[in-house]
Structures are given as structure tokens and as C-alpha cells.
Amino acid sequence: MTGIIDPGEEPADAAVRETYEEASIRAVPEKLAMVQALAPSQYDNGDQAQFLDLVFKLRWRAGAPHPADGENTDARWFSLENLPDMPQNMLNRVHAAVADTPETTFSWAQPTTVVQEIDEPRGFSASAAAALFDMDGTLVDSTSVVEGVWAEFAQQHHINLSELLDYAHGRRTMETVERFLPEGQNVQLATSVLDEKQLTRVDGIVEIPGASRFLRQLAGSPMAIVTSAPRQLALNRLRAAGLHVPEVLVAAEDVRTGKPSPEGYLEATRRLGVLPNECIVFEDAEAGLLAANRSGVRRTVVVGRHASSTTTALDRILDYTNISINRNGRTTTFTQKAESHPRRRRHVIPFEQC
């Protein structure tokens, strides 16, 4: 049955009404089976229209089919194995309605990337009782090592490297291995091999500009590092970059669930003896930014150029060369001066991060 919704009528009510008016069948709607935009059409008078087609599955309650309103010449039941000839678009509607699935069928031309304009780091001032830092990409630049190790893994198992790196950044090694390792392979063994490779490779690891000076200025103030790396790997990279290692370091083995779970940041606040809403977090990756936001911290600062819908309202620094601190009792104020002539940059980001 097909028909047009009357003004003010609900679509499901229209389906029920049209079924009774055209075939004298009483039925009730069970699900919205398909949504599609039909091709634009033009009437003889020049008017143009495009219809949104809604396909409902209805269940029979009463009545025997017959052409009730004079618009049709015949109406009868057909088995799915013996359907009459009909256009493909009508057959698609039937298949969508009888499909054994609760989901609605629809089409979507999903983009692969979007272009987002972000401001260069603007000025900000934020006060907190404690500072929490991610490590890789936030304090330490280990890009060459990390991407090299994952490239070997991707080549060995025929995995798309770009997709793997997008997912891996900010997450524990095992969680990435679990997602990408082909079925039937030993996840724990593959994880151990990857961790061992990263543990021994420190060439090319450097600090994010200004990080060493910044951490020295914070010495004596409550601070912690919350990383997805195993503890020994984190220590090796921090030392290779010449960075101060704070007393509180929450590593991969210290939590049951890694980022984007807030567990690591909450564990850091517990060890420091502060509340989440007394803390400022410095993070560079999507998983870590989500973890920080979910932990309920006072302020989250993006380090670097990562852009997504998560970062829209967050403060940003490119590195630590233009940020200063001022202590007042148990509170530290972090300040970044605004640029005289702020610029906007265009960033192409994966659609799934929007």
C-alpha cells in the first residue's frame, strides 16, 4: 500500500489508514523498515517536489483484502516466494519490511574526512591544585619509535597502518592488539613482543619543546603522569628525553581499563590526595582527552594540533615554551599569553573523530 500523509497526520497513522482505505485491511504498525529520499519530480504546471519515502511493516489484525477505494483493480495475499512482478524499488521495500532485523534501512553518503578550522593557541589562565600529564605526545615526542614498531606489526599482519595508528594513539598496546590482530593469534604474546621492541628503542626520543623546564618549575607541586605505556617503558622514555619523573606515575599495569576510561586520571587524583575538580590535565590524543573530560577535572588543555569535536571548547598549547606558572599557596596558576595576531589553520581530520 502506498499513499500520502495528510496534514498533521503521523506517518504510522497514515500507513494504517491507507491500508484500510485501499484494501479494507485492519493492521497495526510494527516497525519503520526503510527511509529513503525519492528522486525529485516535476509536475505539468512546473512545480517541483521531492518526497521522503517511509516504509512501515504492518501486522494484519482483521479483514480480507479487496480493492476498497476504486483506485486499485485487485488486492490479494501473496507468499514471499510467489510475488507478482513489480519495480525494483517496490521489491526493495518488501524486502526491507520482512527482514528479520529491528534496524531501519537507510542510505548515507558518509564522508571520510572533514576540514575543520581551529584557532592558533589563544591566551588562557587556569588555576589548579594539581597538574596531570599524559606522556607520549604530551611531554615526550616518541613518534619515530612508536610508528616504526607499529609499522612492523602492520606489515607482518597485513593491517592498514593509518587506521591502526589513528586508533592506537593514547591507548594501551594490548587494547590495540586486541582490535587489529587477526583471529586465532596470541594477543598476549604479540603485546609482549611489541612492548619489548619499544622498551629497547630510545633513539630519536626527545622532549616536547619546553617540557623539561616546565616540569622543573612545577617541582614541589602536586603533579602526576598518567600514561597508557607500561611503567618501565614510560621511565625509559622520560629519562631518554631528560625529563623529571614525578613521584606519582600511573602506568598501563595500574588500571583495569585504559583510556578513554577515566580510571587512570581518577587513580592519579587518589594518589595525590586531591579531587578531580581541583586538577588541570595536559593531553594530546583523543582517547586521553575523553578520559580527562570523563574524570571531571577542572580544566583540560590540548597539547599539539589534534582537532576533533572534543577539542572545540578546550584551551590549547603547541608546546611549553609560551606558558608560565605562578604559585599561590596550594594553588598554581597556568597562563598562556594571547598572540597579537591570532591565525586560523585548516585541519583535515578523520570523520569518525568528529
Side-chain angles (χ1 to χ4, degrees):
M1 298 298 139
T2 63
I4 303 296
I5 300 172
D6 288 340
E9 187 177 34
E10 288 290 336
D13 292 334
V16 171
R17 174 182 54 77
E18 290 284 355
T19 300
Y20 180 72
E21 290 179 356
E22 295 190 9
S24 197
I25 295 293
R26 295 290 187 184
V28 294
E30 282 199 335
K31 75 169 184 177
L32 177 61
M34 176 188 284
V35 177
Q36 60 180 338
L38 302 183
S41 58
Q42 183 168 320
Y43 294 94
D44 292 340
N45 65 358
D47 288 348
Q48 296 183 340
Q50 183 174 18
F51 290 96
L52 182 66
D53 186 43
L54 307 177
V55 180
F56 286 91
K57 176 183 179 182
L58 275 64
R59 180 164 297 280
W60 175 88
R61 282 299 178 86
H66 68 88
D69 61 358
E71 294 183 5
N72 301 304
T73 59
D74 195 7
R76 68 178 101 160
W77 298 116
F78 291 88
S79 69
L80 293 175
E81 295 77 21
N82 191 32
L83 292 173
D85 289 337
M86 64 182 74
Q88 184 62 51
N89 63 349
M90 292 300 297
L91 193 59
N92 292 344
R93 293 179 175 99
V94 174
H95 288 162
V98 300
D100 187 22
T101 173
E103 290 84 11
T104 301
T105 298
F106 60 91
S107 297
W108 181 35
Q110 177 181 350
T112 57
T113 60
V114 296
V115 176
Q116 183 181 71
E117 290 192 347
I118 66 170
D119 289 318
E120 287 294 270
R122 57 181 180 266
F124 71 87
S125 181
S127 297
L132 312 179
F133 298 88
D134 173 51
M135 184 186 69
D136 284 310
T138 299
L139 293 172
V140 170
D141 182 356
S142 56
T143 304
S144 60
V145 172
V146 172
E147 293 190 356
V149 170
W150 281 121
E152 294 171 8
F153 176 82
Q155 183 177 18
Q156 178 184 356
H157 298 288
H158 309 290
I159 299 167
N160 182 291
L161 179 59
S162 177
E163 182 181 348
L164 186 152
L165 291 175
D166 284 343
Y167 182 84
H169 195 33
R171 300 178 190 267
R172 297 186 298 182
T173 304
M174 179 171 286
E175 288 157 352
T176 303
V177 171
E178 286 175 336
R179 181 179 178 92
F180 289 96
L181 190 68
E183 189 175 352
Q185 306 255 0
N186 189 318
V187 172
Q188 289 187 335
L189 177 60
T191 301
S192 298
V193 170
L194 286 165
D195 283 343
E196 185 63 28
K197 286 182 177 180
Q198 296 189 75
L199 193 62
T200 57
R201 298 183 188 180
V202 295
D203 289 344
I205 292 179
V206 295
E207 66 169 312
I208 298 296
S212 179
R213 175 193 62 82
F214 190 66
L215 292 182
R216 287 198 305 271
Q217 289 180 330
L218 280 174
S221 298
M223 63 174 166
I225 291 176
V226 180
T227 177
S228 297
R231 178 173 298 276
Q232 191 57 55
L233 176 59
L235 292 174
N236 285 4
R237 286 185 178 169
L238 289 166
R239 290 164 181 163
L243 299 181
H244 167 73
V245 180
E247 290 185 13
V248 176
L249 191 158
V250 180
E253 56 266 48
D254 297 322
V255 296
R256 290 175 297 177
T257 309
K259 301 171 184 178
S261 164
E263 184 181 348
Y265 281 114
L266 293 176
E267 174 63 15
T269 63
R270 185 190 69 79
R271 294 186 188 182
L272 290 172
V274 296
L275 297 175
N277 63 8
E278 296 178 301
C279 298
I280 185 171
V281 167
F282 294 85
E283 261 283 2
D284 75 304
E286 185 71 12
L289 293 167
L290 291 172
N293 290 346
R294 292 168 183 172
S295 70
V297 296
R298 174 189 291 269
R299 200 74 164 260
T300 303
V301 178
V302 185
V303 181
R305 296 193 182 278
H306 170 68
S308 71
S309 59
T310 307
T311 68
T312 302
L314 301 181
D315 295 313
R316 180 186 300 274
I317 62 174
L318 297 183
D319 52 42
Y320 299 91
T321 58
N322 193 35
I323 185 170
S324 61
I325 65 172
N326 180 48
R327 294 180 186 169
N328 184 11
R330 66 185 298 269
T331 300
T332 302
T333 301
F334 302 82
T335 303
Q336 177 170 254
K337 294 181 180 179
E339 290 189 5
S340 302
H341 303 285
R343 297 168 291 170
R344 293 180 66 82
R345 291 184 181 268
R346 293 166 65 85
H347 290 261
V348 178
I349 60 177
F351 181 83
E352 60 268 16
Q353 293 183 8
C354 300

